[in-house]
Amino acid sequence: QLLQHTLQYQTFIEKVQKISATNVQEPGFSAKRSVLDWMGLAWLNDFLLRHVINPMVAHLYQHEMHYNCVVDQQDLAMTKNLRELDWRHGYVIGYKAKQELEAEEKKEKEMEKIQIETDGIGAEQHQRTTKIAGHLYQKSGVVVHTDDSEITLNCCLRDAFEGGTLNIWSERGKEYVDARYKHQCELETQIKPKKGYAIIHRGRQFHSVSDVTSGQRAMLIVWCRSIKQVRKEICPCCWLNRRNDLNCICGATWN
């Protein structure tokens, strides 16, 4: 159940990408990610949540907003009390080919050595300065993972690249309701990102990004959560078990 939604105004998308090139690093993350709230684009986060994502959640993802994700779609209690997402976190992240990243790293190390010898700055201080001013594109791909969100929006900001396919796998939690999925992660579909188009998927949907082989792949990612409803009932890590269940993958510590 993937949905591609056309985001118009290509020039606007290009402006978002240009602003993101200022590139600051989020605490706790190794990759460079330009955070929308930090770039004065909190309104864009709010607009996407209110006018794009939540309307889709109302029609397509209500089962994801209730305990165990196996609610009856015809249940009047569910259809009369539609749930909404109430939290968002948007950022821009970039990818480029491994060989380009390796070449840049080699050049950076050479420049670092020269600068330390010339200016006498400590290696630690120089490394910190380099990280702050580093480029947005610091990855070639991403391994299979899930997001810390109920719903994720994944919008392509540029299409001048090869590779970088978005691979959608099975859902985390399926093994609890269907024994066939025990310890399995099955590939369901592959999507070539297209500039100006967004893909919306469950946060617990396993997904990965194939290595970019040439060019630069820039994506706007928005994680959306339901803090007041879903996360009071469901473990935010496995999106399945109630917090008082001891068979949650987080264990008794988090329940």
Side-chain angles (χ1 to χ4, degrees):
Q1 294 181 359
L2 294 171
L3 183 62
Q4 287 191 326
H5 178 76
T6 308
L7 293 180
Q8 299 176 350
Y9 308 112
Q10 295 292 328
T11 53
F12 174 71
I13 291 173
E14 288 165 2
K15 286 180 181 178
V16 172
Q17 182 195 343
K18 186 175 181 180
I19 295 172
S20 72
T22 54
N23 181 29
V24 285
Q25 183 169 337
E26 271 188 282
F29 288 89
S30 58
K32 302 288 183 181
R33 310 205 299 189
S34 296
V35 181
L36 264 60
D37 283 347
W38 297 357
M39 296 189 291
L41 293 173
W43 64 269
L44 176 56
N45 271 330
D46 295 334
F47 176 84
L48 290 172
L49 179 64
R50 186 176 301 116
H51 299 292
V52 178
I53 302 170
N54 263 327
M56 293 183 182
V57 166
H59 294 285
L60 298 175
Y61 290 107
Q62 276 303 296
H63 57 291
E64 197 67 16
M65 303 290 286
H66 290 261
Y67 170 66
N68 239 9
C69 306
V70 289
V71 241
D72 182 357
Q73 292 284 6
Q74 303 306 315
D75 187 343
L76 292 179
M78 189 185 79
T79 55
K80 286 182 179 178
N81 299 288
L82 294 178
R83 291 187 166 189
E84 290 189 338
L85 300 158
D86 54 25
W87 182 95
R88 82 292 178 278
H89 175 62
Y91 60 91
V92 177
I93 189 166
Y95 306 81
K96 60 168 46 175
K98 281 183 180 178
Q99 55 267 34
E100 290 186 54
L101 293 173
E102 290 170 356
E104 287 176 1
E105 184 179 2
K106 183 179 179 182
K107 184 178 180 180
E108 190 177 282
K109 285 182 178 178
E110 291 173 351
M111 291 177 66
E112 178 182 340
K113 185 179 178 182
I114 293 170
Q115 188 168 348
I116 290 173
E117 291 173 351
T118 307
D119 303 337
I121 340 183
E124 185 180 341
Q125 182 184 347
H126 179 79
Q127 188 178 27
R128 185 166 61 249
T129 306
T130 305
K131 282 185 178 179
I132 292 173
H135 203 278
L136 178 67
Y137 302 91
Q138 292 203 343
K139 287 187 173 185
S140 57
V142 182
V143 298
V144 177
H145 66 286
T146 56
D147 297 335
D148 191 2
S149 66
E150 272 68 84
I151 298 294
T152 295
L153 178 141
N154 194 323
C155 179
C156 184
L157 300 183
R158 61 183 303 168
D159 49 14
F161 64 90
E162 296 296 328
T165 301
L166 177 63
N167 309 302
I168 302 293
W169 306 73
S170 56
E171 302 157 30
R172 166 180 276 171
K174 268 191 175 181
E175 64 271 20
Y176 291 97
V177 294
D178 191 333
R180 291 177 303 166
Y181 293 96
K182 192 69 176 176
H183 305 304
Q184 289 186 12
C185 187
E186 297 182 346
L187 181 64
E188 294 187 352
T189 189
Q190 294 179 297
I191 301 171
K192 173 68 175 177
K194 182 178 178 181
K195 182 178 178 180
Y197 282 76
I199 298 158
I200 293 181
H201 62 81
R202 301 173 183 86
R204 67 188 180 96
Q205 192 99 38
F206 284 106
H207 54 286
S208 64
V209 177
S210 302
D211 284 348
V212 170
T213 55
S214 66
Q216 297 177 339
R217 179 187 192 268
M219 307 298 293
L220 166 61
I221 309 294
V222 184
W223 289 353
C224 302
R225 300 174 186 166
S226 172
I227 303 293
K228 296 177 182 177
Q229 294 174 323
V230 176
R231 297 213 169 199
K232 283 188 176 180
E233 304 172 354
I234 303 170
C235 168
C237 289
C238 63
W239 284 268
L240 185 73
N241 298 295
R242 293 184 187 275
R243 290 183 181 276
N244 59 358
D245 284 350
L246 297 181
N247 65 335
C248 170
I249 61 169
C250 296
T253 306
W254 293 96
N255 290 283

